[in-house]
Amino acid sequence: MRRDLLSLDKANAEQVARHLVMVMNLLGEDPTAALAHARAARERAGRVGVVRETAGIAAYTAGEWQEALGELRTARRLTGSNALLPLIADSERGLGRPDRAIDLARSAEGRALTGEEATEMLIVESGARLDLGEPEKAVVTLQAANLKPGQTGDGPARLFYAYATALLAAGRRDDAVTWFMNAASADIEDITDAEDRLVELADGVDLVEPGVDEQTAPAPVISEPAEARRAAPAPTETTEPADERPAASAPTEILESADEVQAEPVREVSEKSAEAEVGSSASESAEESDADGGVEQVEAETPTPEPVVASLASGYDALLLDLDGTVFAGAEALPGAVEALATVGVPAYYVTNNASRRAPDVAAHLTELGFEAVADQVVTSAQAAARMLGQQLRPGSRALVVGTDGLAQEVREVGIGVTRSADDRPDAVIQGHSPTTDWAILSEAVLAINNGALWVACNIDPTLPSERGFLIGNGSMVAAVANATGKTPLVAGKPAAPLMADAIERSASTHPLVVGDRLDTDIEGAVTVGVDSAVVLTGVTTASHLLVAIPEQRPTYVVDDLRGLLSAPDTARIGEQPGWTVVVERRENEISVDVSAAPDAVDAALLPALAAATWSALDAQGGNESESDVVVTITTSDDRVRGLLDALGVR
């Protein structure tokens, strides 16, 4: 750990080390306090792998699943080690996504694990199988582990306990008793409640713990005292065994006759999942006892669920959200944004071109405004630019920083020294937004670049939205340096690929949706990396801008604000819309669009329909024309349509 902290300055390394020691001291007795120390270490050394790993373990132990997932993924990326995969998979279970946990376990990396990590992954996969109502598969999964009785220690105790739990869920009560006994014998540190389970089985009591509401039972992996926990998925030595009490909305296995023991439910369904409404009825399975006292399981018919209209966001596994003009404007959250993101049910990551603040500061600002956010959900152009420097320069090189102290710290954390003077002969110049940037520091940048320094710009946004309007942005400052040097910088932020690629990697997404207010950064950035996008009309882009967007700046959807993420996707998707008739006439340098609506036409579908028709006409004119090249005229004889166009600002 000392070696890993060498990239920090001595004083900072000392502080980080002290926080890490406190994490380990407090983890078993006060997970919340341990997590606070882990967060403090992360704020000082967010690019150090062992720090992010410690933060991930602390968040996991405290039951902060989303934070744990982000930290552990980051640690894995920084260290290149797959040893954290079991913890990552178990965090997916904690978030109610057992299918993702199974995918990780069955992946090439998951299968390549060896030793204790391999066993832990099998325990997690078995728990995920139980979450999905597949007890027999859970049993088979654990049979690949070393189930040799007579072993002692935390690892065997957790393994035997998990196997007993799976056997019980599968209806094999006698076998389950045997393996709870093996778990109790192996558990010399009393990390499981195997002995209590044996007493319950012997007394024939209900195995769902008293006081637990079956409709709101906690997720499969929770932070509780060891004696109250059920299942064993706990992938590290520093983590207690976790709970295996899934929600009662899933099928219940009847193991004995009516006066015998009833096993607990074996599947956890996220409260936000559409499956939750269906699963509760499935738990009403019937039972029939045979002459020998055995039980024949009879599955009740599951009622056909009511059709559920999916929201726009539900078709994606992550939202990559711009900040200024999309989520907030300066010190104010935009209307409906807090409520929409709290309801949407899809992991949100905040991707900002603004390089003036570090991720923990951005997360704190979001929290102050009412959003739920942690530092690892924030991806900044400062991080992406510093990473570019780390890839371009040798360790120990020096960069002249034009920007805030936060940007300077990001540079230090990739092993690059920092200066503010061209006299130090820096190897590179990194330029990000700062409200204090002045002639003097821009002149230092010009001197260094003219002396051959590599030049990296965090972003080239010409303006910065605020509650007062549009302020001067980093791109305008970059333009001044470019004009003075005749050079062009490498760009990290949107629409360039590095920041978008970092965000996709951070979210571990395979099908993300980019959401932003700027066509030339957010939407073009999505097009650059080949993913879907939605433009909101709360920032820079207006309806008129959208109608004449060039091909590389065309979004998949358009919505008024973030509340549109909860709407039906077809209504927001740019294309032909039911009930809307759009007639286009093309003349030289002019396009005339006449629009009318049927009585059942959806108001929100007007702009998507108009945009699709206008883009088609622009492309037929030759493509890539800008607003100044072609005049587009919208006409209508429908008073309803005229009112909607006026509301959109389209005259």
Side-chain angles (χ1 to χ4, degrees), residues 25-108:
N25 285 344
L26 293 169
L27 199 62
E29 61 189 52
D30 191 347
T32 301
L35 180 56
H37 280 284
R39 288 169 174 166
R42 181 188 62 202
E43 289 180 5
R44 291 176 171 272
R47 292 300 181 103
V48 178
V50 70
V51 173
R52 304 308 287 268
E53 178 178 349
T54 304
I57 292 171
Y60 175 93
T61 308
E64 297 290 343
W65 312 123
Q66 187 66 58
E67 183 176 357
L69 194 61
E71 294 298 327
L72 293 167
R73 284 173 174 167
T74 300
R76 182 186 175 208
R77 184 176 72 248
L78 292 173
T79 64
S81 171
N82 287 326
L84 296 174
L85 273 177
L87 274 173
I88 293 171
D90 215 16
S91 297
E92 292 284 11
R93 289 186 61 213
L95 288 169
R97 302 194 292 245
D99 51 334
R100 294 193 184 183
I102 292 172
D103 288 343
L104 280 170
R106 309 302 291 175
S107 68

Coordinates of all heavy atoms in Angstrom, one line a residue, residues 25-108:
N25 N -9.7 -0.5 10.9 CA -10.0 -0.6 12.3 C -11.5 -0.6 12.6 O -11.9 -1.3 13.5 CB -9.3 0.5 13.1 CG -7.8 0.4 13.2 OD1 -7.3 -0.7 13.0 ND2 -7.1 1.5 13.6
L26 N -12.2 0.1 11.8 CA -13.6 0.3 12.1 C -14.6 -0.6 11.3 O -15.8 -0.7 11.6 CB -14.0 1.8 11.8 CG -13.4 2.8 12.7 CD1 -13.6 4.2 12.1 CD2 -14.0 2.8 14.1
L27 N -14.1 -1.3 10.3 CA -14.9 -2.0 9.3 C -15.9 -2.9 10.0 O -17.0 -3.0 9.7 CB -14.1 -2.7 8.3 CG -14.8 -3.1 7.0 CD1 -15.3 -1.8 6.3 CD2 -13.8 -3.8 6.1
G28 N -15.3 -3.7 11.0 CA -16.2 -4.7 11.6 C -17.2 -4.2 12.6 O -18.2 -4.8 12.8
E29 N -16.8 -3.1 13.3 CA -17.7 -2.6 14.4 C -18.5 -1.4 14.0 O -19.6 -1.2 14.6 CB -16.8 -2.3 15.6 CG -15.8 -1.1 15.3 CD -14.8 -0.9 16.4 OE1 -14.2 -1.9 16.8 OE2 -14.7 0.2 16.9
D30 N -18.1 -0.6 13.1 CA -18.9 0.6 12.7 C -18.7 0.9 11.2 O -17.9 1.7 10.8 CB -18.4 1.8 13.5 CG -19.3 3.0 13.3 OD1 -20.2 3.0 12.4 OD2 -19.2 4.0 14.1
P31 N -19.4 0.1 10.3 CA -19.2 0.2 8.9 C -19.5 1.6 8.4 O -18.8 2.1 7.4 CB -20.2 -0.8 8.3 CG -20.5 -1.7 9.4 CD -20.4 -1.0 10.7
T32 N -20.4 2.4 9.0 CA -20.7 3.7 8.5 C -19.5 4.7 8.7 O -19.1 5.4 7.9 CB -21.9 4.3 9.3 OG1 -23.0 3.4 9.0 CG2 -22.2 5.7 8.8
A33 N -18.9 4.6 9.9 CA -17.7 5.4 10.2 C -16.5 5.0 9.3 O -15.8 5.8 8.8 CB -17.3 5.3 11.7
A34 N -16.4 3.7 9.0 CA -15.3 3.2 8.2 C -15.5 3.7 6.8 O -14.6 4.2 6.1 CB -15.4 1.6 8.1
L35 N -16.8 3.8 6.3 CA -17.0 4.3 5.0 C -16.7 5.8 4.9 O -16.2 6.3 3.9 CB -18.5 4.1 4.6 CG -19.0 4.6 3.2 CD1 -18.1 4.0 2.1 CD2 -20.4 4.3 3.0
A36 N -17.0 6.5 6.0 CA -16.6 8.0 6.0 C -15.1 8.2 5.8 O -14.7 9.1 5.1 CB -17.1 8.6 7.3
H37 N -14.3 7.4 6.5 CA -12.9 7.5 6.3 C -12.5 7.0 4.9 O -11.5 7.6 4.3 CB -12.2 6.6 7.3 CG -12.1 7.2 8.7 ND1 -11.2 8.2 9.0 CD2 -12.8 6.9 9.8 CE1 -11.3 8.5 10.3 NE2 -12.3 7.8 10.8
A38 N -13.1 6.0 4.3 CA -12.8 5.6 3.0 C -13.1 6.7 2.0 O -12.3 6.9 1.0 CB -13.6 4.3 2.6
R39 N -14.2 7.4 2.2 CA -14.6 8.5 1.3 C -13.5 9.6 1.4 O -13.2 10.3 0.4 CB -16.0 9.0 1.6 CG -17.1 8.0 1.2 CD -18.4 8.5 1.8 NE -19.5 7.6 1.2 CZ -20.7 7.6 1.8 NH1 -21.0 8.4 2.8 NH2 -21.7 6.8 1.3
A40 N -13.1 9.9 2.6 CA -12.1 10.9 2.8 C -10.8 10.6 2.1 O -10.1 11.4 1.5 CB -11.8 11.1 4.3
A41 N -10.4 9.3 2.2 CA -9.2 8.9 1.4 C -9.4 9.0 -0.1 O -8.5 9.4 -0.8 CB -8.9 7.4 1.8
R42 N -10.6 8.6 -0.5 CA -10.8 8.7 -2.0 C -10.8 10.1 -2.5 O -10.3 10.4 -3.6 CB -12.2 8.1 -2.3 CG -12.6 8.1 -3.7 CD -14.1 7.7 -3.8 NE -15.0 8.6 -3.2 CZ -16.2 8.3 -2.8 NH1 -16.7 7.1 -2.9 NH2 -17.0 9.2 -2.2
E43 N -11.3 11.1 -1.7 CA -11.2 12.5 -2.1 C -9.8 13.0 -2.3 O -9.5 13.9 -3.1 CB -11.9 13.4 -1.1 CG -13.5 13.2 -1.1 CD -14.2 14.0 -0.1 OE1 -13.5 14.8 0.5 OE2 -15.4 13.9 0.0
R44 N -8.9 12.4 -1.5 CA -7.5 12.8 -1.6 C -6.7 12.0 -2.6 O -5.6 12.5 -3.1 CB -6.8 12.7 -0.2 CG -7.3 13.7 0.8 CD -6.7 13.4 2.2 NE -7.0 14.4 3.1 CZ -6.3 15.5 3.3 NH1 -5.2 15.7 2.6 NH2 -6.6 16.4 4.2
A45 N -7.1 10.8 -3.0 CA -6.3 10.0 -3.8 C -7.2 9.1 -4.7 O -7.2 7.9 -4.7 CB -5.4 9.1 -3.0
G46 N -8.1 9.7 -5.5 CA -9.1 9.0 -6.3 C -8.5 8.2 -7.4 O -9.2 7.4 -8.0
R47 N -7.2 8.4 -7.8 CA -6.7 7.6 -8.9 C -5.8 6.5 -8.4 O -5.0 5.9 -9.2 CB -5.9 8.6 -9.8 CG -6.7 9.6 -10.6 CD -7.7 8.9 -11.5 NE -8.6 9.8 -12.2 CZ -8.4 10.0 -13.5 NH1 -7.4 9.5 -14.2 NH2 -9.2 10.9 -14.1
V48 N -5.8 6.2 -7.1 CA -4.9 5.2 -6.5 C -5.8 3.9 -6.3 O -6.8 3.9 -5.6 CB -4.3 5.6 -5.2 CG1 -3.5 4.5 -4.6 CG2 -3.4 6.8 -5.4
G49 N -5.4 2.8 -7.0 CA -6.2 1.6 -7.0 C -6.6 1.1 -5.6 O -7.7 0.7 -5.3
V50 N -5.6 1.0 -4.7 CA -5.8 0.4 -3.4 C -6.8 1.3 -2.6 O -7.6 0.8 -1.8 CB -4.5 0.2 -2.6 CG1 -3.9 1.5 -2.2 CG2 -4.7 -0.7 -1.4
V51 N -6.8 2.6 -2.8 CA -7.8 3.5 -2.2 C -9.2 3.2 -2.7 O -10.1 3.1 -1.9 CB -7.4 5.0 -2.4 CG1 -8.5 5.9 -1.9 CG2 -6.0 5.3 -1.8
R52 N -9.4 3.1 -4.0 CA -10.7 2.8 -4.5 C -11.2 1.4 -4.1 O -12.4 1.2 -3.8 CB -10.7 2.9 -6.0 CG -10.2 4.3 -6.5 CD -10.9 5.5 -5.9 NE -12.3 5.6 -6.4 CZ -12.7 6.3 -7.4 NH1 -11.8 7.0 -8.1 NH2 -13.9 6.4 -7.8
E53 N -10.2 0.4 -4.0 CA -10.6 -0.9 -3.5 C -11.1 -0.8 -2.1 O -12.1 -1.4 -1.7 CB -9.4 -1.8 -3.6 CG -9.7 -3.2 -3.1 CD -8.5 -4.2 -3.3 OE1 -7.5 -3.8 -4.0 OE2 -8.6 -5.3 -2.7
T54 N -10.4 -0.1 -1.2 CA -10.8 0.0 0.2 C -12.2 0.7 0.3 O -13.0 0.3 1.0 CB -9.7 0.8 0.9 OG1 -8.5 0.2 0.8 CG2 -10.1 1.0 2.4
A55 N -12.4 1.8 -0.5 CA -13.7 2.4 -0.5 C -14.8 1.5 -1.0 O -15.9 1.6 -0.5 CB -13.6 3.7 -1.5
G56 N -14.5 0.7 -2.0 CA -15.5 -0.3 -2.4 C -15.9 -1.3 -1.4 O -17.0 -1.6 -1.2
I57 N -14.9 -1.8 -0.7 CA -15.1 -2.8 0.4 C -15.9 -2.1 1.5 O -16.8 -2.7 2.1 CB -13.8 -3.4 0.9 CG1 -13.2 -4.3 -0.2 CG2 -14.0 -4.2 2.2 CD1 -11.8 -4.7 0.1
A58 N -15.6 -0.9 1.9 CA -16.3 -0.2 2.9 C -17.7 0.1 2.6 O -18.6 -0.1 3.4 CB -15.6 1.1 3.3
A59 N -17.9 0.5 1.3 CA -19.3 0.7 0.9 C -20.1 -0.6 0.8 O -21.3 -0.6 1.2 CB -19.3 1.4 -0.5
Y60 N -19.5 -1.6 0.4 CA -20.1 -3.0 0.4 C -20.6 -3.4 1.8 O -21.7 -3.8 2.0 CB -19.2 -4.0 -0.2 CG -19.7 -5.4 -0.2 CD1 -20.3 -5.9 -1.3 CD2 -19.4 -6.2 0.9 CE1 -20.8 -7.2 -1.3 CE2 -19.9 -7.5 0.9 CZ -20.5 -8.0 -0.2 OH -21.0 -9.3 -0.2
T61 N -19.6 -3.2 2.7 CA -19.9 -3.6 4.1 C -21.0 -2.8 4.7 O -21.8 -3.3 5.5 CB -18.7 -3.5 5.0 OG1 -17.6 -4.2 4.3 CG2 -18.9 -4.1 6.3
A62 N -21.1 -1.5 4.3 CA -22.2 -0.6 4.8 C -23.5 -0.8 4.1 O -24.4 -0.1 4.4 CB -21.7 0.8 4.7
G63 N -23.5 -1.6 3.1 CA -24.7 -1.8 2.3 C -25.0 -0.7 1.3 O -26.2 -0.6 0.8
E64 N -24.1 0.1 0.9 CA -24.2 1.1 -0.1 C -23.9 0.5 -1.5 O -22.8 0.6 -2.0 CB -23.4 2.3 0.2 CG -23.7 3.0 1.5 CD -25.0 3.8 1.4 OE1 -25.5 4.0 0.3 OE2 -25.6 4.1 2.5
W65 N -24.8 -0.2 -2.0 CA -24.5 -1.1 -3.2 C -24.1 -0.3 -4.4 O -23.2 -0.7 -5.1 CB -25.8 -1.9 -3.5 CG -26.3 -2.6 -2.3 CD1 -27.6 -2.5 -1.8 CD2 -25.6 -3.4 -1.4 NE1 -27.7 -3.2 -0.7 CE2 -26.5 -3.8 -0.4 CE3 -24.3 -3.9 -1.3 CZ2 -26.2 -4.6 0.7 CZ3 -24.0 -4.7 -0.3 CH2 -24.9 -5.1 0.7
Q66 N -24.8 0.8 -4.8 CA -24.4 1.6 -5.9 C -23.0 2.1 -5.8 O -22.2 2.1 -6.7 CB -25.4 2.7 -6.2 CG -25.2 3.4 -7.5 CD -25.5 2.5 -8.7 OE1 -26.6 2.0 -8.9 NE2 -24.5 2.4 -9.6
E67 N -22.7 2.7 -4.6 CA -21.4 3.2 -4.4 C -20.3 2.1 -4.4 O -19.3 2.3 -5.0 CB -21.4 4.0 -3.1 CG -20.0 4.6 -2.8 CD -20.1 5.4 -1.5 OE1 -21.1 5.5 -0.8 OE2 -19.0 6.0 -1.1
A68 N -20.7 1.0 -3.8 CA -19.7 -0.1 -3.8 C -19.4 -0.6 -5.2 O -18.3 -0.8 -5.6 CB -20.3 -1.3 -3.0
L69 N -20.5 -0.6 -6.1 CA -20.3 -1.1 -7.4 C -19.4 -0.2 -8.2 O -18.4 -0.6 -8.9 CB -21.7 -1.2 -8.1 CG -21.7 -1.9 -9.4 CD1 -21.3 -3.4 -9.3 CD2 -23.2 -1.9 -10.0
G70 N -19.6 1.1 -8.1 CA -18.8 2.1 -8.8 C -17.3 2.0 -8.3 O -16.4 2.1 -9.1
E71 N -17.1 2.0 -7.0 CA -15.7 2.0 -6.5 C -15.0 0.7 -6.9 O -13.8 0.7 -7.2 CB -15.8 2.1 -4.9 CG -16.3 3.4 -4.4 CD -15.4 4.6 -4.8 OE1 -14.2 4.4 -5.0 OE2 -16.0 5.7 -5.1
L72 N -15.7 -0.4 -6.8 CA -15.0 -1.7 -7.1 C -14.7 -1.8 -8.6 O -13.6 -2.3 -9.0 CB -15.9 -2.9 -6.6 CG -16.1 -3.0 -5.1 CD1 -17.2 -4.0 -4.8 CD2 -14.8 -3.4 -4.5
R73 N -15.6 -1.3 -9.4 CA -15.3 -1.3 -10.9 C -14.1 -0.4 -11.2 O -13.2 -0.8 -12.0 CB -16.5 -0.8 -11.6 CG -17.6 -1.8 -11.8 CD -18.8 -1.2 -12.4 NE -19.9 -2.1 -12.7 CZ -21.1 -1.8 -13.0 NH1 -21.4 -0.5 -13.1 NH2 -22.0 -2.7 -13.3
T74 N -14.0 0.8 -10.5 CA -12.9 1.7 -10.7 C -11.6 1.0 -10.2 O -10.6 1.1 -10.9 CB -13.1 3.0 -10.0 OG1 -14.3 3.6 -10.5 CG2 -12.0 3.9 -10.2
A75 N -11.7 0.4 -9.1 CA -10.5 -0.3 -8.5 C -10.0 -1.4 -9.5 O -8.8 -1.5 -9.7 CB -10.8 -0.9 -7.2
R76 N -10.9 -2.1 -10.0 CA -10.6 -3.2 -11.0 C -9.9 -2.6 -12.2 O -8.9 -3.1 -12.7 CB -11.8 -4.0 -11.4 CG -11.5 -5.1 -12.3 CD -12.8 -5.8 -12.8 NE -12.6 -6.8 -13.7 CZ -13.4 -7.2 -14.7 NH1 -14.6 -6.6 -14.8 NH2 -13.1 -8.1 -15.6
R77 N -10.5 -1.4 -12.7 CA -9.9 -0.8 -13.9 C -8.5 -0.3 -13.6 O -7.6 -0.4 -14.4 CB -10.8 0.4 -14.3 CG -10.3 1.0 -15.6 CD -11.3 2.1 -16.0 NE -11.3 3.3 -15.2 CZ -12.2 3.6 -14.4 NH1 -13.3 2.9 -14.3 NH2 -12.1 4.7 -13.6
L78 N -8.3 0.3 -12.4 CA -7.0 0.9 -12.0 C -5.9 -0.2 -11.8 O -4.7 0.0 -12.1 CB -7.1 1.8 -10.8 CG -7.9 3.1 -11.0 CD1 -8.1 3.8 -9.7 CD2 -7.2 4.0 -12.0
T79 N -6.3 -1.3 -11.2 CA -5.4 -2.3 -10.8 C -5.2 -3.4 -11.8 O -4.2 -4.1 -11.8 CB -5.8 -3.0 -9.4 OG1 -7.0 -3.7 -9.6 CG2 -5.9 -1.9 -8.3
G80 N -6.2 -3.6 -12.6 CA -6.1 -4.7 -13.6 C -6.4 -6.1 -13.1 O -6.2 -7.1 -13.7
S81 N -6.8 -6.1 -11.8 CA -7.0 -7.4 -11.1 C -8.5 -7.8 -11.2 O -9.4 -7.0 -11.0 CB -6.6 -7.3 -9.7 OG -7.0 -8.5 -9.0
N82 N -8.8 -9.1 -11.4 CA -10.1 -9.6 -11.4 C -10.6 -10.1 -10.0 O -11.6 -10.7 -9.8 CB -10.3 -10.7 -12.4 CG -10.3 -10.2 -13.8 OD1 -10.8 -9.0 -14.1 ND2 -9.7 -10.9 -14.7
A83 N -9.7 -10.0 -9.0 CA -10.0 -10.5 -7.7 C -11.2 -9.9 -7.0 O -11.9 -10.5 -6.1 CB -8.8 -10.4 -6.7
L84 N -11.6 -8.7 -7.5 CA -12.8 -8.0 -6.9 C -14.1 -8.4 -7.6 O -15.2 -8.0 -7.2 CB -12.6 -6.5 -7.1 CG -11.4 -5.9 -6.3 CD1 -11.3 -4.4 -6.6 CD2 -11.7 -6.1 -4.8
L85 N -14.0 -9.3 -8.6 CA -15.3 -9.7 -9.4 C -16.4 -10.2 -8.5 O -17.5 -9.9 -8.7 CB -14.9 -10.7 -10.5 CG -14.5 -10.0 -11.8 CD1 -14.1 -11.1 -12.8 CD2 -15.6 -9.2 -12.4
P86 N -16.0 -11.1 -7.5 CA -17.1 -11.6 -6.6 C -17.8 -10.5 -5.9 O -19.1 -10.5 -5.7 CB -16.4 -12.6 -5.7 CG -15.2 -13.0 -6.4 CD -14.8 -11.8 -7.2
L87 N -17.1 -9.5 -5.4 CA -17.7 -8.4 -4.7 C -18.6 -7.6 -5.6 O -19.7 -7.1 -5.3 CB -16.6 -7.5 -4.1 CG -16.1 -7.9 -2.7 CD1 -15.0 -7.0 -2.3 CD2 -17.2 -7.7 -1.6
I88 N -18.1 -7.4 -6.9 CA -18.8 -6.6 -7.9 C -20.1 -7.3 -8.2 O -21.2 -6.7 -8.2 CB -18.0 -6.4 -9.1 CG1 -16.8 -5.5 -8.9 CG2 -18.8 -5.9 -10.3 CD1 -15.8 -5.4 -10.0
A89 N -20.1 -8.7 -8.4 CA -21.3 -9.4 -8.7 C -22.2 -9.4 -7.5 O -23.5 -9.3 -7.7 CB -20.9 -10.9 -9.0
D90 N -21.7 -9.5 -6.3 CA -22.6 -9.5 -5.1 C -23.3 -8.1 -4.9 O -24.4 -8.0 -4.5 CB -21.9 -9.9 -3.9 CG -22.7 -10.7 -2.9 OD1 -23.8 -11.2 -3.3 OD2 -22.3 -10.8 -1.7
S91 N -22.6 -7.0 -5.3 CA -23.2 -5.7 -5.3 C -24.3 -5.6 -6.3 O -25.3 -4.9 -6.0 CB -22.1 -4.6 -5.6 OG -21.1 -4.6 -4.6
E92 N -24.2 -6.3 -7.4 CA -25.3 -6.3 -8.4 C -26.5 -7.0 -7.8 O -27.6 -6.5 -8.0 CB -24.9 -7.0 -9.7 CG -23.8 -6.3 -10.5 CD -24.4 -5.2 -11.3 OE1 -25.6 -4.8 -11.1 OE2 -23.7 -4.7 -12.2
R93 N -26.3 -8.0 -7.0 CA -27.4 -8.7 -6.3 C -28.0 -7.7 -5.3 O -29.2 -7.6 -5.1 CB -26.9 -9.9 -5.5 CG -26.5 -11.1 -6.3 CD -26.2 -12.3 -5.5 NE -27.3 -12.7 -4.7 CZ -27.3 -13.2 -3.4 NH1 -26.1 -13.3 -2.8 NH2 -28.4 -13.5 -2.8
G94 N -27.2 -7.0 -4.6 CA -27.7 -6.0 -3.6 C -28.6 -4.9 -4.3 O -29.5 -4.4 -3.7
L95 N -28.3 -4.6 -5.6 CA -29.1 -3.7 -6.3 C -30.4 -4.3 -7.0 O -31.1 -3.7 -7.7 CB -28.3 -3.0 -7.4 CG -27.2 -2.0 -6.8 CD1 -26.3 -1.6 -7.9 CD2 -27.9 -0.8 -6.3
G96 N -30.6 -5.6 -6.6 CA -31.7 -6.3 -7.2 C -31.5 -6.8 -8.6 O -32.5 -6.9 -9.4
R97 N -30.2 -7.0 -9.1 CA -30.0 -7.4 -10.4 C -29.2 -8.8 -10.4 O -28.0 -8.8 -10.8 CB -29.2 -6.3 -11.1 CG -29.9 -5.0 -11.2 CD -29.3 -4.0 -12.2 NE -27.9 -3.6 -11.8 CZ -27.6 -2.4 -11.5 NH1 -28.5 -1.4 -11.5 NH2 -26.3 -2.0 -11.2
P98 N -29.8 -9.8 -10.0 CA -29.1 -11.1 -9.9 C -28.7 -11.6 -11.3 O -27.7 -12.4 -11.4 CB -30.2 -12.1 -9.3 CG -31.5 -11.4 -9.5 CD -31.2 -9.9 -9.5
D99 N -29.4 -11.3 -12.3 CA -29.0 -11.7 -13.7 C -27.7 -11.2 -14.1 O -26.9 -11.9 -14.7 CB -30.1 -11.3 -14.7 CG -30.4 -9.8 -14.6 OD1 -30.2 -9.2 -13.6 OD2 -30.8 -9.3 -15.7
R100 N -27.4 -10.0 -13.7 CA -26.0 -9.4 -14.0 C -25.0 -10.1 -13.2 O -23.8 -10.3 -13.6 CB -26.0 -7.9 -13.7 CG -26.9 -7.1 -14.6 CD -26.6 -5.6 -14.5 NE -27.5 -4.8 -15.3 CZ -27.4 -3.5 -15.4 NH1 -26.4 -2.8 -14.8 NH2 -28.3 -2.8 -16.1
A101 N -25.3 -10.5 -11.9 CA -24.3 -11.2 -11.1 C -24.0 -12.5 -11.8 O -22.8 -13.0 -11.8 CB -24.9 -11.4 -9.7
I102 N -25.0 -13.2 -12.3 CA -24.8 -14.5 -13.0 C -23.9 -14.3 -14.2 O -23.0 -15.1 -14.5 CB -26.1 -15.2 -13.3 CG1 -26.8 -15.6 -12.0 CG2 -25.9 -16.4 -14.2 CD1 -28.2 -16.1 -12.2
D103 N -24.2 -13.2 -15.0 CA -23.4 -13.0 -16.2 C -22.0 -12.8 -15.8 O -21.1 -13.3 -16.5 CB -24.0 -11.7 -16.9 CG -25.3 -11.9 -17.6 OD1 -25.7 -13.1 -17.7 OD2 -26.0 -10.9 -17.9
L104 N -21.7 -12.1 -14.7 CA -20.3 -11.9 -14.3 C -19.6 -13.2 -13.9 O -18.5 -13.5 -14.3 CB -20.2 -10.9 -13.1 CG -20.3 -9.4 -13.5 CD1 -20.5 -8.6 -12.2 CD2 -19.1 -8.9 -14.2
A105 N -20.4 -14.0 -13.2 CA -19.9 -15.3 -12.8 C -19.6 -16.2 -13.9 O -18.6 -17.0 -13.9 CB -20.8 -16.0 -11.8
R106 N -20.4 -16.1 -15.0 CA -20.2 -17.0 -16.1 C -19.3 -16.4 -17.2 O -19.1 -17.1 -18.2 CB -21.6 -17.3 -16.7 CG -22.7 -17.8 -15.8 CD -22.3 -19.1 -15.0 NE -22.2 -20.2 -15.9 CZ -21.8 -21.4 -15.5 NH1 -21.4 -21.6 -14.2 NH2 -21.7 -22.4 -16.3
S107 N -18.8 -15.2 -17.0 CA -18.0 -14.6 -18.0 C -16.6 -15.3 -18.0 O -16.3 -16.0 -17.1 CB -17.8 -13.1 -17.6 OG -17.0 -12.9 -16.4
A108 N -15.8 -15.0 -19.0 CA -14.5 -15.6 -19.1 C -13.6 -15.2 -17.9 O -12.9 -16.0 -17.3 CB -13.8 -15.1 -20.4

